[in-house]
Amino acid sequence: MAERLVLFCLALLFLSRLVLSESDSEFFYSGFHDVGNNMSLNGAAEIENNGILKLTNDTPRLLGHAFQSKAVLFKNSSTGKVFSFSTAFAFAIVPQFNSVNLGGHGMAFAISPTKELNGTLSRQYLGLVNSNDNGNFSNHLFAVEFDTVQDLEFKDINDNHVGIDLNSLDSNASVPAGYFADGNSTISDLILKSGRIIQVWIDYDSSKNQLNVTLSLSSSKPNNSILSLDVDLSPNFEDNMYVGFSASTGLLAAAHYVFGWSFKINGQAQSLDLSSLPKLPLPQKNHEGLILGTSISAAAFMLFAVLLALYIVKRIKNMDVIEDWELSVGPHRFSYKELKQATRGFRDKELLGFGGFGRVYKGTLPNSNSQVAVKRVNHESKQGLREFISEIASIGRLRHRNLVQLLGWCRRRGDLLLVYDFMPNGSLDKYIFDEPEMILSWEQRFKIIKGVASGLLYLHEGWEQTVIHRDIKAGNVLLDSELNGRLGDFGLAKLYEHGSNPGTTRVVGTLGYLAPELTKTGKPTTSSDVFAFGAFLLEVLCGRRPIEQKALPEELILVDWVWDRCKRGAILEVVDPRLGGHYDEIEAVVVLKLGLMCSSNASERRPSMRQVVRYLEGEVVVPEVVAAPEEYDANKSGDHGGEFEDFLHSYPTSSYFEKVSAWSSAEYPDRDVDLEACTTSPLSIAGKGVKR
Ligand SMILES: *[C@@H]1O[C@H](CO)[C@@H](O)[C@H](O)[C@H]1NC(C)=O
Ligand SMILES: *[C@@H]1O[C@H](CO)[C@@H](O)[C@H](O)[C@H]1NC(C)=O
Ligand SMILES: *[C@@H]1O[C@H](CO)[C@@H](O)[C@H](O)[C@H]1NC(C)=O
Ligand SMILES: *[C@@H]1O[C@H](CO)[C@@H](O)[C@H](O)[C@H]1NC(C)=O
Ligand SMILES: *[C@@H]1O[C@H](CO)[C@@H](O)[C@H](O)[C@H]1NC(C)=O
Ligand SMILES: *[C@@H]1O[C@H](CO)[C@@H](O)[C@H](O)[C@H]1NC(C)=O
Ligand SMILES: *[C@@H]1O[C@H](CO)[C@@H](O)[C@H](O)[C@H]1NC(C)=O
Ligand SMILES: *[C@@H]1O[C@H](CO)[C@@H](O)[C@H](O)[C@H]1NC(C)=O
């Protein structure tokens, strides 16, 4: 009887092992059309109708996970040794704005004891770990990362590398992305975020304790791998592990796609035939271009030639002709000759700098001897130029002590020359970023902030029509002789919108200052200006750019970094260290909180400029508790909001930040607070000197 039972149990064991190995130790997906429940997804991950697995789209701060639903038995239970395994998959990373330079943060093939990876973070953490458990052996995590942002925290070698990670995003081995082309023994460069489909093979040989990673742009596996690591994975693996993918975006965002995937235990995974995988739909613009290009390219070329000829003839004829409509425009129209003389023929020596839209020259007007700045904007679209010039009439009438006054203009062929008041102290960015020659004191900074706020309020509300600036940043704030901040370049961004094709919206502005909804709707609002103003507040406070690609990783995105410090209670650590602790802490807290409020991802949560000005003037106290800037529509980010929820829950009761704000808002209306009181207040614990 006992014998039978043992036999029966053995048979059962054998059978279950057999079933396990058949169903889970090998699979092959050429496209994910009908994987059904075989894969489980969370976060932003989804399988599109065309069968492509999309881990994230190009929205900032997303993460997505896609794992094989059933765990894979990875270990021989009698020896405890990990089996050999092999996998091949095809992926593509398509950055936001179709720009190869601006995408993030990357994706990874992962083997993990859980398929949910709850509590992991987006951004540089790639959805694999969080800031607390990075490097903890209890993660039992193995990953091969395809990382497109350089994070110095993890000692990343560059912003385009492949790395092998054990429990930590500090890779145990990494190389710049590359591949061996057919029959070539030197590595060719490969840009991960180029949008091209890349096939990857990851092979682990359990007898040699060796792991190889091989990349290619084709269906056949190159003979040479680009990355190899001698490692015994057995100590790090549990018996049953889940295999899958993870990807994340930060403020730098890209869509991460997987097109096909094969996996096999104790054998070579089948390579994917790239031609039989689902295809990414071409972006709308390229699509049109392609149809046009293939069907009527010859005709288009001829048309182009004719237009070019016409254009050249017109250019010769139309040197500096004043057209009727130009005469109806209000502010002074300078003659080209006058401006050429003023700038001494647009000499390089007179060049003040390169603005967002063109070169700026210093000039002295021959008649009045007054100094001016002349901005030379080149614009190909005559239509856009015409519409813009008709707006100069109104823009030229805007007058405020915190705006750079537009004195007049001139048009010559495709060039638009705008004449502004000369600002002897140049633009603000020179005083706060990198290694400035002169450091602005806190009083000066606060005065500039208040000035810019009231200038922007005037644009938004102080005039008969709302003017949206669209490109607020330190570089567009100029300093007059008394170091007052004045907004420049207002209305100019519009020129570029007018110039684009009707129907397409072109996002104008500077990355890091662009409100998230702007990249979706393309429609600038006063609220998107407020978002940029928030970034501006934080950069003046912290002395850093909103996005620093080379900064320490956790500081990569200024807002995130500031928020992170506030959460930890190190609220005043964010203040520009170059101030040497000499600043008004009450004002600094107001600026910090306003910066965070304005940086909210949800436009309706941002204050209006009128409210901002009242906060800055101390007419209204800032709220005690400021919501997380990332806190936004949970539906959009999937149910994976752990990153944000954590502190939202812990924050209101335990946060040090809250105590500081309670203190400062209570004291704020009365500026002459007894500073001795600070030594017993939570503020002084932050370890910064109190300004006297
Ligand atoms: C899903 O898994 C089942 C068994 O677990 C298998 O029979 C089926 O072929 C799988 N589907 C796909 C699309 O691989
Ligand atoms: C586990 O290892 C033992 C000893 O090397 C071997 O005999 C057995 O076949 C292995 N089992 C599996 C499932 O590979
Ligand atoms: C992860 O979260 C999901 C949903 O909140 C939950 O069902 C699951 O049990 C969690 N997994 C782990 C390992 O905590
Ligand atoms: C690693 O994680 C375990 C379990 O989560 C925890 O108990 C331990 O303290 C962590 N170790 C470190 C060094 O953080
Ligand atoms: C991988 O790197 C981590 C941290 O850098 C280290 O603790 C670990 O021992 C390394 N593992 C192997 C197998 O080299
Ligand atoms: C790999 O090497 C074999 C023989 O060494 C050669 O025939 C084959 O063409 C090579 N394959 C590639 C993709 O380079
Ligand atoms: C091999 O690859 C290198 C690097 O991309 C390239 O410069 C070289 O021309 C290639 N050689 C051949 C024979 O294709
Ligand atoms: C890794 O690559 C080396 C050299 O190309 C090769 O000798 C070895 O067999 C490979 N190992 C695995 C596990 O594929």
Side-chain angles (χ1 to χ4, degrees):
M1 196 59 191
E3 245 182 60
R4 276 197 170 185
L5 200 70
V6 170
L7 259 175
F8 178 71
C9 285
L10 274 177
L12 210 67
L13 207 74
F14 179 73
L15 262 175
S16 69
R17 190 50 57 79
L18 204 73
V19 169
L20 252 180
S21 64
E22 274 189 349
S23 60
D24 297 297
S25 68
E26 181 175 1
F27 49 82
F28 180 85
Y29 303 132
S30 176
F32 296 86
H33 301 277
D34 23 51
V35 292
N37 293 331
N38 291 14
M39 288 196 73
S40 52
L41 315 179
N42 73 33
E46 60 186 33
I47 290 169
E48 301 194 303
N49 293 337
N50 51 19
I52 298 174
L53 166 60
K54 181 159 84 180
L55 293 167
T56 74
N57 58 31
D58 62 7
T59 309
R61 298 192 184 97
L62 290 182
L63 54 73
H65 298 133
F67 278 81
Q68 177 73 1
S69 300
K70 281 201 191 143
V72 174
L73 179 71
F74 265 97
K75 273 187 178 174
N76 181 331
S77 50
S78 57
T79 60
K81 188 109 181 80
V82 165
F83 299 127
S84 294
F85 64 86
S86 164
T87 187
F89 57 91
F91 75 95
I93 301 179
V94 184
Q96 205 181 8
F97 305 129
N98 282 332
S99 151
V100 171
N101 295 326
L102 299 170
H105 270 242
M107 59 169 284
F109 168 78
I111 303 181
S112 152
T114 89
K115 55 186 166 181
E116 283 99 10
L117 286 168
N118 291 345
T120 58
L121 294 179
S122 61
R123 293 175 277 137
Q124 71 263 35
Y125 301 102
L126 299 182
L128 293 172
V129 296
N130 61 45
S131 50
N132 296 323
D133 71 5
N134 186 43
N136 193 326
F137 179 79
S138 71
N139 292 345
H140 296 289
L141 175 76
F142 164 83
V144 176
E145 62 171 44
F146 301 87
D147 193 345
T148 57
V149 176
Q150 182 173 25
D151 300 302
L152 299 182
E153 178 189 12
F154 303 139
K155 304 172 198 75
D156 283 352
I157 51 170
N158 65 13
D159 60 0
N160 183 51
H161 63 272
V162 180
I164 299 172
D165 301 341
L166 282 167
N167 301 320
S168 164
L169 289 183
D170 296 71
S171 302
N172 289 69
S174 63
V175 283
Y179 70 106
F180 287 94
D182 277 354
N184 194 332
S185 57
T186 48
I187 293 192
S188 306
D189 292 339
L190 185 59
I191 296 176
L192 295 174
K193 53 187 164 185
S194 60
R196 301 179 75 174
I197 297 187
I198 298 169
Q199 182 159 201
V200 177
W201 293 261
I202 298 169
D203 301 290
Y204 177 69
D205 183 331
S206 153
S207 59
K208 290 196 220 162
N209 287 335
Q210 188 180 48
L211 186 91
N212 285 352
V213 182
T214 312
L215 269 63
S216 163
L217 288 170
S218 72
S219 306
S220 60
K221 186 177 176 184
N223 287 335
N224 295 317
S225 52
I226 59 156
L227 181 59
S228 184
L229 178 68
D230 292 325
V231 59
D232 180 4
L233 294 175
S234 306
N236 202 50
F237 273 39
E238 293 184 344
D239 287 0
N240 288 294
M241 303 274 278
Y242 292 92
V243 289
F245 302 95
S246 177
S248 72
T249 66
L251 195 56
L252 301 168
H256 297 87
Y257 299 100
V258 182
F259 301 88
W261 181 24
S262 75
F263 181 88
K264 191 174 166 98
I265 290 279
N266 286 328
Q268 176 68 53
Q270 190 184 337
S271 295
L272 298 160
D273 175 10
L274 298 189
S275 63
S276 66
L277 296 176
K279 304 275 177 298
L280 212 55
L282 288 163
Q284 218 61 52
K285 260 182 291 171
N286 296 356
H287 200 59
E288 284 163 16
L290 198 75
I291 293 168
L292 215 102
T294 47
S295 57
I296 51 164
S297 67
F301 180 76
M302 274 171 65
L303 193 70
F304 174 74
V306 170
L307 283 176
L308 188 74
L310 276 176
Y311 176 70
I312 290 169
V313 169
K314 191 129 190 226
R315 239 184 115 121
I316 293 166
K317 274 168 70 181
N318 183 25
M319 290 302 267
D320 190 13
V321 183
I322 302 174
E323 295 179 15
D324 290 346
W325 54 269
E326 291 178 78
L327 289 171
S328 61
V329 171
H332 185 63
R333 189 192 193 280
F334 288 89
S335 74
Y336 182 73
K337 209 173 130 210
E338 205 175 354
L339 295 183
K340 194 171 171 185
Q341 205 180 339
T343 58
R344 306 184 184 208
F346 299 100
R347 271 204 316 198
D348 281 350
K349 241 181 115 184
E350 310 299 325
L351 195 61
L352 290 170
F354 300 87
F357 300 96
R359 293 160 170 252
V360 186
Y361 296 87
K362 184 179 171 179
T364 309
L365 291 178
N367 301 335
S368 59
N369 244 354
S370 58
Q371 287 192 315
V372 292
V374 180
K375 174 163 248 178
R376 188 171 193 156
V377 184
N378 189 281
H379 204 275
E380 303 88 28
S381 154
K382 200 162 169 210
Q383 178 63 20
L385 203 59
R386 179 174 177 154
E387 284 175 29
F388 180 73
I389 290 175
S390 66
E391 264 168 32
I392 286 182
S394 46
I395 292 170
R397 279 190 286 142
L398 291 169
R399 249 163 249 275
H400 189 275
R401 72 194 129 82
N402 296 109
L403 297 180
V404 180
Q405 185 63 45
L406 177 69
L407 300 173
W409 62 285
C410 164
R411 181 191 64 87
R412 184 177 141 100
R413 304 185 214 137
D415 277 349
L416 174 66
L417 301 164
L418 295 169
V419 185
Y420 291 100
D421 264 346
F422 176 66
M423 293 289 125
N425 284 311
S427 60
L428 176 61
D429 54 347
K430 285 200 287 258
Y431 296 86
I432 54 175
F433 299 141
D434 306 323
E435 278 148 24
E437 276 171 33
M438 180 186 138
I439 306 218
L440 293 175
S441 70
W442 176 256
E443 286 79 10
Q444 288 164 331
R445 291 186 200 207
F446 197 59
K447 184 168 100 172
I448 291 166
I449 286 173
K450 288 202 285 189
V452 171
S454 80
L456 188 54
L457 171 62
Y458 173 77
L459 289 181
H460 285 182
E461 295 183 22
W463 206 55
E464 61 209 43
Q465 72 195 66
T466 302
V467 179
I468 297 171
H469 186 288
R470 297 168 198 229
D471 201 10
I472 292 172
K473 56 180 175 182
N476 271 340
V477 169
L478 293 135
L479 302 179
D480 63 17
S481 53
E482 287 152 12
L483 290 176
N484 288 304
R486 287 163 171 249
L487 266 174
D489 268 0
F490 44 91
L492 252 193
K494 235 176 165 180
L495 174 59
Y496 277 73
E497 196 179 65
H498 286 323
S500 61
N501 298 330
T504 64
T505 38
R506 180 160 164 181
V507 176
V508 177
T510 307
L511 190 83
Y513 304 84
L514 287 179
E517 76 273 8
L518 205 51
T519 58
K520 287 203 207 77
T521 64
K523 194 175 180 310
T525 58
T526 52
S527 182
S528 56
D529 266 0
V530 171
F531 183 90
F533 182 75
F536 164 78
L537 285 178
L538 295 179
E539 63 188 359
V540 175
L541 178 75
C542 308
R544 324 181 55 119
R545 293 192 171 80
I547 299 186
E548 295 214 44
Q549 291 245 29
K550 295 286 174 225
L552 282 175
E554 80 271 22
E555 304 168 10
L556 174 75
I557 310 296
L558 182 57
V559 183
D560 291 346
W561 176 71
V562 168
W563 179 251
D564 187 61
R565 291 297 135 120
C566 292
K567 256 166 32 195
R568 295 195 210 162
I571 170 166
L572 291 175
E573 253 179 37
V574 304
V575 178
D576 190 347
R578 283 173 290 223
L579 287 170
H582 297 289
Y583 57 91
D584 184 316
E585 295 188 357
I586 299 167
E587 289 170 354
V589 169
V590 170
V591 170
L592 173 71
K593 282 188 174 183
L594 270 182
L596 291 171
M597 284 157 71
C598 296
S599 303
S600 174
N601 274 351
S603 59
E604 67 279 1
R605 282 175 188 270
R606 294 174 210 142
S608 68
M609 278 321 290
R610 182 165 296 280
Q611 286 168 310
V612 168
V613 168
R614 299 182 76 191
Y615 286 131
L616 287 171
E617 295 296 343
E619 289 172 24
V620 182
V621 292
V622 284
E624 296 192 1
V625 180
V626 177
E630 295 107 325
E631 185 199 344
Y632 61 118
D633 194 351
N635 303 330
K636 269 186 246 157
S637 56
D639 61 347
H640 207 98
E643 177 187 353
F644 318 137
E645 280 157 18
D646 285 351
F647 56 74
L648 280 179
H649 293 151
S650 64
Y651 175 63
T653 50
S654 62
S655 169
Y656 165 70
F657 185 32
E658 185 197 20
K659 286 185 236 154
V660 170
S661 31
W663 175 78
S664 67
S665 53
E667 302 294 336
Y668 190 73
D670 178 9
R671 293 302 184 78
D672 298 314
V673 287
D674 176 12
L675 286 173
E676 285 308 319
C678 297
T679 46
T680 53
S681 80
L683 266 178
S684 54
I685 307 168
K688 290 284 177 185
V690 174
K691 189 195 149 265
R692 308 209 136 242

